[in-house]
């Protein structure tokens, strides 16, 4: 028991210190010592990242800590997910999100922030980066089968790209399979409604809340 | 003809000569060893032709020292942008200082205080107000989206509204594969436009911006190239590192422009600002203003004019003190540092909103800064030693002196918005704060100020271009 507690604590600390290489090593060591991967994910890595999230909310940790902790979390998660696959156990993630910036738009700071906050909250993220055509979103939805698609637009001309993604999803009969959330500077709740998106959020914290609500997750 | 604008004779330097040389050397090192990505095949081709090392697969361009030095040599230290009215031609030199208005995706409604998207009518009116204000030396579309037109052609409609409603020198943003329409409209009006092209930090020029740089260079128009760098996110957390990265990115853009058309003017623009690590928004404030001043220092090192978007404020209303003190600090510092083109009038809430009241208030700040830039004239007559000795000591006074009559008007900037009467009189006059007084001034301008319309055929041609752009973009 003590040994298990020690490993969980080491995983938490590795995430909190935001060092992906170290987290990977600690995770490998834990696997070797026979830790339950689900326990390691929840009570080890998960607890570590939620500590970072809480500290960020409280203003004692900042974006560089949050971003590196999210990376560390993902590095460790990979190791345990592989273990789970070997044993045939399905791992439950909070949700899968495909996120990217609309066509013609290279602004990515806000989008990346939303993705980081989602990682911190236990979501699996597929970040498509910037300047994505509707087709790219469609392909990503086919490939990753996400619960949520998030589209960012910072320039008014790129807002049209958000509408194009919704239309393309409908065209390929994928619209009912995902919930779509939009955001970015000029985007408003009215615009989201006008183009038939399921949700809108003004910032990264609200994005997490809205996405959870869309998925029917109790907060 | 004397042109509009101010002059900064003795700029303050935030960097020493040794520091500038070090930044220059590191710039050359980064350009040579790591290079910059240009996501546009035609740009890669011309850069290769000019002697750069180009990897077409990764779209990475590495710049040998002599190519960079060649571009620096062919780039002029001044250039002119032709306005509708020649007295508003903008002459970018090493000591001119211009103040212009800012753009945003929304306006602060004049009558209701509600924030909303601007219509063509709003944009026309705001431009007319800028046209009337004496210390706003050039115009910019107050919004780039237009609420009552399709979003695809927002930049075109906004730019057309600007051209139609002011005879001052104009600038606009290139947008995403929109620049060809903007150039056509300017030509129809018989003017040139400063068109903003943008580097995406770190070290990347997007396809649409490469296309814009090449088209504007081919026109032979002086060009505005800016780079962001959000310290700690898209550039180093240190101010020095960000100055270096900005310098490197601007240099890469300059080489592309000079290779396409040697000898065309270049304006080195920055909007670098730190990131607020508590929330990811811009950490608007003194550090961003310092980065703009440092970019002006580096620009002087190269003898190339500079500009900045960095006069931002985080305050949300024209009545908020935060707007006032951030703007005052920034405008004054930038002007003192000799930033040649200072963008900001009317902007509130970062770059997210424009307020008419604020344009009028900023105009007054610019007037005071213009006075500062004139400096203190010291000569026999202004020293007035003889008069001091004749009038003093008490009970003499200076009010009736011919010297006073002649000089007070020369020496003082007479603000027209500031309230300087007593508290009792202020109550009597309706207890209005500066934003309320600015609103009245703007209403007055809208009542009386007329802008000569474009010649009929030019106006018709602009309408035709708008239609063509709309057709091409909406039919896609
Ligand atoms: C930084 C910046 C740039 C940088 C981008 C760097 C980068 N890697 O991202 C650079 C310099 C490259 C740039 C380029 C341009 N820019 Co710019 N840029 C900005 C600026 C100043 C800040 C944007 C930002 O990062 N904000 C900080 C983040 C944290 O906030 P955010 O993005 O809003 O994100 C938050 C929320 O919106 C939300 N959110 C965001 N995405 C999503 C997605 C989902 C799904 C959800 C739920 C929520 C959500 O959560 C985020 C976190 O809280 C804005 C002005 C402004 N203040 O917004 C202009 C601005 C967006 N740019 C503008 C313009 C015009 C351009 C150019 C077209 C200029 C040009 N040369 O013509 C080019 C674009 C080229 C292109 N192809 O895209 C205009 C757009 C105007 C309009 N009406 O369309 C703005 C508004 C400036 C202005 N006032 O004119 N820009």
């Amino acid at each position: 028991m003590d040994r298990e507690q020690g490993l969980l604590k080491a995983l938490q600390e590795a995430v909190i210190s935001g060092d992906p290489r170290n987290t990977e090593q600690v995770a490998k060591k834990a696997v070797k010592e026979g830790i339950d991967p689900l326990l390691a994910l929840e009570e080890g890595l998960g607890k570590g990242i939620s500590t970072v999230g809480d500290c960020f909310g409280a203003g004692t940790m900042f974006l560089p800590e949050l971003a590196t902790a999210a990376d560390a979390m993902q590095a460790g998660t990979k190791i345990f997910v592989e273990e789970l696959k070997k044993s045939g156990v399905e791992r439950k993630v909070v949700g899968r999100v495909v996120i990217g910036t609309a066509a013609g738009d290279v602004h990515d700071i806000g989008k990346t922030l939303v993705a980081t906050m989602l990682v911190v909250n236990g979501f699996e993220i597929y970040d498509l980066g910037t300047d994505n055509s509707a087709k790219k979103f469609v392909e990503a939805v086919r490939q990753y089968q996400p619960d949520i698609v998030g589209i960012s637009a910072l320039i008014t001309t790129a807002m049209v790209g958000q509408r194009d993604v919704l239309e393309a999803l409908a065209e390929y009969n994928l619209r009912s399979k995902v919930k779509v959330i939009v955001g970015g500077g000029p985007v408003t709740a009215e615009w989201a409604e006008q183009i038939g998106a399921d949700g809108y959020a003004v910032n990264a914290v609200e994005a997490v809340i809205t996405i959870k609500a869309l998925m029917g997750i109790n907060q | 003809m004397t042109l509009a604008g101010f002059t900064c004779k003795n700029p303050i330097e935030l960097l020493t000569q040794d520091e500038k040389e070090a930044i220059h050397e590191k710039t050359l090192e980064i350009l040579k060893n790591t290079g910059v990505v240009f996501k546009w095949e035609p740009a890669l081709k011309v850069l290769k032709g000019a002697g750069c090392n180009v990897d077409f697969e990764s779209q990475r361009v590495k710049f040998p020292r002599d190519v960079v030095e060649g571009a620096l040599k062919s780039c002029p230290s001044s250039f002119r942008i032709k306005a509708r009215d020649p007295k508003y031609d903008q002459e970018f030199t090493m000591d001119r200082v211009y103040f212009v208005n800012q753009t945003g995706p929304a306006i602060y409604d004049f009558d209701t205080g509600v924030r909303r998207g601007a219509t063509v009518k709003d944009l026309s009116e705001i431009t007319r107000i800028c046209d009337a204000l004496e210390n706003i030396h050039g115009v910019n579309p107050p919004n780039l989206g237009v609420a009552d037109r399709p979003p695809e052609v927002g930049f075109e409609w906004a730019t057309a509204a600007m051209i139609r409603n002011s005879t001052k020198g104009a600038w606009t943003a290139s947008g995403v594969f929109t620049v060809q329409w903007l150039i056509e409209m300017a030509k129809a009006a018989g003017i040139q436009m400063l068109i903003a092209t943008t580097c995406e930090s770190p070290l990347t020029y997007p396809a649409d911006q490469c296309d814009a740089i090449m088209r504007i260079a081919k026109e032979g128009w002086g060009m505005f190239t800016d780079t962001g760098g959000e310290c700690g996110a898209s550039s180093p957390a240190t101010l020095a590192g960000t100055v270096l990265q900005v310098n490197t990115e601007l240099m890469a853009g300059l080489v592309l422009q000079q290779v396409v058309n040697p000898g065309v003017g270049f304006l080195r623009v920055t909007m670098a600002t730190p990131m607020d690590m508590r929330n990811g928004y811009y950490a608007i404030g003194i550090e961003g203003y310092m980065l703009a001043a440092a970019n002006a220092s580096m620009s002087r090192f190269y003898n190339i004019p500079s500009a900045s978007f960095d006069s931002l404020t985080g305050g949300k209303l024209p009545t908020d003190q935060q707007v006032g003190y951030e703007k005052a600090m920034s405008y004054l510092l930038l002007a003192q540092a000799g930033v040649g083109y200072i963008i900001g009038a009317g902007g509130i809430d970062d770059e997210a909103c424009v307020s008419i009241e604020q344009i009028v208030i900023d105009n007054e700040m610019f007037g005071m800064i213009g006075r500062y830039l004139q400096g203190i004239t010291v000569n026999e007559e202004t020293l007035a030693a003889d008069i001091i000795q004749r009038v003093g000591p008490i009970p003499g006074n200076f009010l009736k002196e011919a010297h006073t009559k002649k000089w007070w008007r020369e020496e003082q900037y007479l603000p027209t918005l500031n309230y300087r009467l007593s508290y009792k009189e202020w109550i009597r006059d309706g207890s209005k704060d500066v934003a309320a007084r600015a609103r009245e001034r703007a209403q007055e301008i809208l009542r009386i100020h007329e802008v000569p319309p474009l010649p009929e055929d030019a106006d018709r041609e602009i309408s035709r271009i708008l239609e063509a752009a709309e057709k091409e973009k909406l039919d896609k």
Side-chain angles (χ1 to χ4, degrees):
Chain A
M1 261 303 97
D2 263 5
R3 195 190 185 90
E4 191 177 86
Q5 285 306 323
L7 286 170
L8 291 175
K9 189 131 205 298
L11 285 168
Q12 290 164 12
E13 275 164 7
V15 170
I16 292 169
S17 68
D19 181 343
R21 293 243 318 262
N22 181 41
T23 312
E24 199 180 299
Q25 273 160 13
V26 177
K28 280 183 177 157
K29 179 165 168 258
V31 167
K32 225 186 248 159
E33 298 197 12
I35 201 166
D36 172 5
L38 281 176
L39 186 76
L41 281 167
E42 264 173 39
E43 295 297 314
L45 301 177
K47 235 191 190 148
I49 198 81
S50 67
T51 305
V52 175
D54 290 347
C55 290
F56 179 73
T60 54
M61 279 193 178
F62 303 97
L63 283 170
E65 283 93 6
L66 193 72
T68 49
D71 275 0
M73 160 95 176
Q74 283 183 320
T77 303
K78 225 169 111 196
I79 307 290
F80 295 119
V81 168
E82 269 164 31
E83 281 311 299
L84 285 176
K85 265 194 205 141
K86 280 186 208 156
S87 57
V89 180
E90 262 287 343
R91 171 199 171 216
K92 272 200 244 127
V93 291
V94 180
R96 281 199 182 83
V97 183
V98 160
I99 193 166
T101 307
D105 198 331
V106 303
H107 295 86
D108 73 343
I109 294 165
K111 181 268 303 159
T112 307
L113 208 61
V114 173
T116 304
M117 275 316 263
L118 286 166
V119 170
V120 170
N121 282 274
F123 285 83
E124 211 167 278
I125 299 298
Y126 301 94
D127 188 340
L128 308 181
T130 57
D131 189 8
N132 293 288
S133 61
K135 209 170 131 229
K136 276 205 206 139
F137 276 98
V138 167
E139 278 163 13
V141 169
R142 283 210 180 117
Q143 190 179 348
Y144 304 119
Q145 309 191 333
D147 306 289
I148 300 283
V149 173
I151 320 160
S152 180
L154 267 282
I155 11 181
T156 29
T157 46
M159 288 164 68
V160 183
Q162 296 180 324
R163 190 179 61 203
D164 294 344
V165 174
L166 283 155
E167 286 175 4
L169 288 172
E171 191 184 325
Y172 290 92
N173 293 321
L174 294 166
R175 183 65 188 90
S176 58
K177 299 202 165 63
V178 291
K179 299 267 195 239
V180 177
I181 179 168
V182 292
V187 177
T188 59
E190 291 81 62
W191 171 253
E193 205 185 306
Q194 194 184 323
I195 62 173
D198 302 294
Y200 157 78
V202 65
N203 62 32
V205 174
E206 301 270 328
V208 175
I209 296 171
T210 308
I211 287 173
K212 283 187 174 169
L214 285 175
M215 291 181 61
I217 299 168
N218 289 330
Q219 320 255 343
Chain B
M1 186 184 305
T2 39
L3 297 175
F6 301 134
T7 305
C8 173
K9 286 186 215 96
N10 297 303
I12 54 168
E13 291 286 353
L14 260 69
L15 301 168
T16 64
Q17 189 64 17
D18 284 352
E19 288 164 349
K20 292 187 207 177
E21 268 158 26
I23 290 167
H24 175 60
E25 281 306 316
K26 296 271 183 214
T27 299
L28 293 173
E29 181 187 317
I30 299 171
L31 286 171
K32 179 161 165 272
N33 297 337
T34 299
V36 170
V37 166
F38 290 81
K39 296 183 170 173
W40 188 239
E41 179 97 14
L44 297 174
K45 281 191 182 144
V46 294
L47 287 166
K48 174 143 182 92
C52 296
N53 302 316
V54 178
D55 178 30
F56 283 84
E57 183 132 65
S58 64
Q59 303 180 308
R60 179 93 64 115
V61 178
K62 295 182 181 166
F63 300 82
R65 195 181 178 113
D66 59 317
V67 174
V68 178
E69 281 167 353
L72 281 171
K73 207 177 232 157
S74 63
C75 182
S77 60
S78 70
F79 65 94
R80 192 182 264 242
I81 290 284
K82 189 168 175 286
R84 276 180 57 190
D85 180 340
K87 80 167 173 288
Y88 290 123
D89 278 4
Q90 292 182 323
E91 181 122 285
F92 294 92
T93 66
M94 294 316 296
D95 61 7
R96 296 297 285 164
V97 173
Y98 292 113
F99 283 103
V100 296
N101 66 305
Q102 189 180 304
T103 189
I107 59 167
Y108 172 77
D109 188 287
F110 208 47
D111 302 313
T112 61
V114 171
R115 192 184 285 206
R116 60 175 175 80
T119 60
V120 171
K121 178 165 176 278
D122 293 320
L123 296 184
S124 306
E125 288 184 356
I126 299 174
T127 305
R128 201 142 56 81
I129 291 170
C130 291
D131 189 78
L133 293 169
E134 68 282 15
N135 301 314
I136 292 184
H137 304 122
V139 289
N140 170 32
N143 269 200
L144 284 167
V146 186
D148 52 354
R149 291 292 184 279
E152 288 89 337
V153 286
F155 281 52
E156 288 87 340
W157 274 99
T159 302
M162 167 186 66
I163 296 175
R164 284 171 160 154
N165 288 283
S166 175
T167 60
K168 292 186 177 176
W171 83 274
T172 191
S174 60
V176 182
F177 293 115
T178 293
V179 70
Q180 63 272 35
W181 305 109
L182 307 178
I183 291 175
E184 266 198 59
M185 281 196 274
K187 283 175 152 174
I191 61 168
Q192 297 169 331
M193 247 178 346
L194 258 188
I195 302 182
T197 58
T198 306
C199 175
E200 184 191 0
S201 298
L203 307 180
T204 306
Y205 277 88
D208 47 293
Q209 299 303 310
C210 294
D211 173 54
I213 291 176
M214 295 178 75
R215 284 179 192 263
I216 300 162
K218 275 183 202 140
E219 283 308 321
W221 295 358
M223 183 166 48
F224 176 120
T225 297
D226 68 90
T227 171
E230 202 166 355
C231 321
S234 54
S235 70
T238 48
L239 299 190
T242 296
V243 172
L244 170 59
Q245 189 181 303
V246 163
N247 203 54
T248 307
E249 292 168 341
L250 292 179
M251 196 73 88
L254 173 77
V255 173
L256 175 60
Q257 183 227 22
Q258 292 297 312
V259 162
V260 172
N261 196 350
V264 176
F266 190 85
L267 193 59
R268 291 170 39 102
V269 194
T270 177
M271 57 182 289
T273 298
M275 178 185 261
D276 189 323
M277 293 301 176
R278 296 168 298 185
N279 47 46
Y281 290 114
Y282 262 174
I284 289 168
I286 195 72
E287 300 85 357
Y289 314 151
M290 291 164 74
L291 286 167
N295 180 55
S297 275
M298 284 313 295
S299 301
R300 265 190 300 279
F301 180 78
Y302 297 120
N303 250 314
I304 298 174
S306 77
S308 164
F309 283 104
D310 266 316
S311 291
L312 299 171
T313 170
K316 309 299 179 209
L317 294 174
T319 46
D320 186 337
Q321 280 208 39
Q322 184 184 346
V323 171
Y325 63 68
E326 285 181 334
K327 279 178 176 273
M329 257 195 287
S330 136
Y331 292 144
L332 184 57
L333 173 61
L334 268 60
Q336 285 176 314
V339 175
Y341 195 70
I342 302 173
I343 299 158
I348 52 174
D349 185 18
D350 187 348
E351 278 188 298
C353 192
V354 164
S355 148
I356 295 176
E357 292 88 329
Q358 195 61 47
I359 296 176
V360 179
I361 296 170
D362 287 355
N363 176 68
E364 182 118 321
M365 265 193 254
F366 300 157
M368 293 183 235
I369 292 170
R371 171 64 192 88
Y372 166 83
L373 289 174
Q374 279 171 10
I376 297 178
T377 312
V378 182
N379 58 37
E380 261 315 292
E381 195 182 349
T382 59
L383 281 171
D386 50 339
I387 302 173
I388 295 171
Q389 296 180 77
R390 184 153 42 73
V391 173
I394 272 177
N397 82 57
F398 295 87
L399 194 59
K400 293 179 193 159
E401 291 299 318
H403 184 267
T404 302
K405 253 184 169 164
K406 171 173 178 193
W407 279 100
W408 83 268
R409 201 63 191 83
E410 297 276 318
E411 294 286 277
Q412 290 186 31
Y413 171 72
L414 254 198
T416 50
L417 208 56
N418 279 356
Y419 200 87
R420 287 175 170 170
L421 302 186
S422 70
Y423 181 66
K424 280 185 216 147
E425 288 154 302
W426 182 72
I427 300 279
R428 178 203 65 199
D429 291 341
S431 317
K432 290 174 201 145
D433 64 17
V434 67
R437 296 193 298 274
R439 185 157 41 237
E440 288 176 357
R441 169 74 52 77
Q443 278 159 343
E444 174 72 8
I445 291 172
L446 287 177
R447 230 181 353 260
I448 60 173
H449 183 69
E450 278 173 27
V451 175
L454 279 171
E456 234 172 89
D457 52 336
D459 199 84
R460 221 174 311 119
E461 178 60 8
I462 287 182
S463 296
R464 188 200 60 77
I465 295 165
L466 287 170
E467 257 169 54
E470 209 159 303
K471 190 157 168 12
E472 186 178 303
K473 290 190 170 182
L474 297 182
D475 287 357
K476 249 212 295 216

